[in-house]
Amino acid sequence: MPRPPLPPFTESTAMQKVRAAEDAWNTRDPERISLAYSEDSWWRNRSTFVHGRAAIVDFLVDKWDRELDYRLIKELWAYTGDVIAVRFAYEYRDAAGQWFRAYGNENWRFDEDGLMTHRHASINDVAITESDRKFHWDASGSRPADHPGLSDLGL
């Protein structure tokens, strides 16, 4: 089933794809998120390698068991044809209550149906205080349209 917008990407459709990914990840619903990836999608996430939708679901379940109160902002960095590069930051706390902001870059490749076939993610975590948090919206879903993006926040 096609997952628009489809490649080849324009600046507008690449930005739509990035925002759709951000919105989906902010649901923290692994099953829903996995549907944006091809059946045999291949990931490198930090030092973890993941292959296929079932493994993506397992990976995300484990991720959000550890990363609590997760909120993510993605920003388009570059695009061409069937490839999109993004930079992102997300905030979360661990079970002990320590807050973190994770900074990273992702490179995505898509098939003709708009499903992501490859995801390469490089991520670094920085401990922050709760008062240093910048991502404030209801944890139930998408970042509000009027909430600043990464560049607006100086990130």
Side-chain angles (χ1 to χ4, degrees):
M1 182 175 194
R3 189 92 173 185
L6 307 176
F9 297 111
T10 64
E11 182 176 12
S12 176
T13 60
M15 289 174 69
Q16 289 172 19
K17 200 70 152 174
V18 171
R19 185 58 192 241
E22 175 188 313
D23 290 347
W25 278 64
N26 276 319
T27 68
R28 295 171 309 284
D29 180 342
E31 292 289 340
R32 174 183 168 191
I33 293 164
S34 74
L35 298 178
Y37 301 92
S38 66
E39 288 285 342
D40 62 347
S41 187
W42 185 91
W43 287 17
R44 181 192 53 77
N45 193 90
R46 301 176 194 242
S47 60
T48 301
F49 296 86
V50 179
H51 185 245
R53 277 192 189 153
I56 289 169
V57 170
D58 291 344
F59 173 87
L60 294 173
V61 167
D62 289 344
K63 172 183 180 65
W64 289 314
D65 281 347
R66 293 183 318 276
E67 297 178 359
L68 310 174
D69 294 323
Y70 176 96
R71 288 171 181 79
L72 165 73
I73 299 176
K74 291 184 181 279
E75 185 173 279
L76 177 65
W77 188 252
Y79 68 93
T80 182
D82 63 352
V83 174
I84 295 175
V86 300
R87 65 187 202 92
F88 64 89
Y90 62 86
E91 294 178 348
Y92 68 95
R93 66 174 176 81
D94 64 16
Q98 173 62 58
W99 282 93
F100 295 88
R101 185 175 303 120
Y103 298 91
N105 298 292
E106 293 177 331
N107 297 310
W108 303 340
R109 181 172 301 275
F110 295 87
D111 66 16
E112 63 279 353
D113 290 324
L115 296 172
M116 194 181 301
T117 62
H118 293 81
R119 175 182 172 268
H120 303 271
S122 298
I123 308 166
N124 298 301
D125 297 299
V126 177
I128 61 173
T129 64
E130 186 170 4
S131 64
D132 287 333
R133 292 180 56 221
K134 295 181 181 282
F135 301 175
H136 300 282
W137 63 84
D138 182 26
S140 65
S142 300
R143 173 174 53 105
D146 63 347
H147 190 285
L150 294 178
S151 292
D152 298 326
L153 291 167
L155 300 175

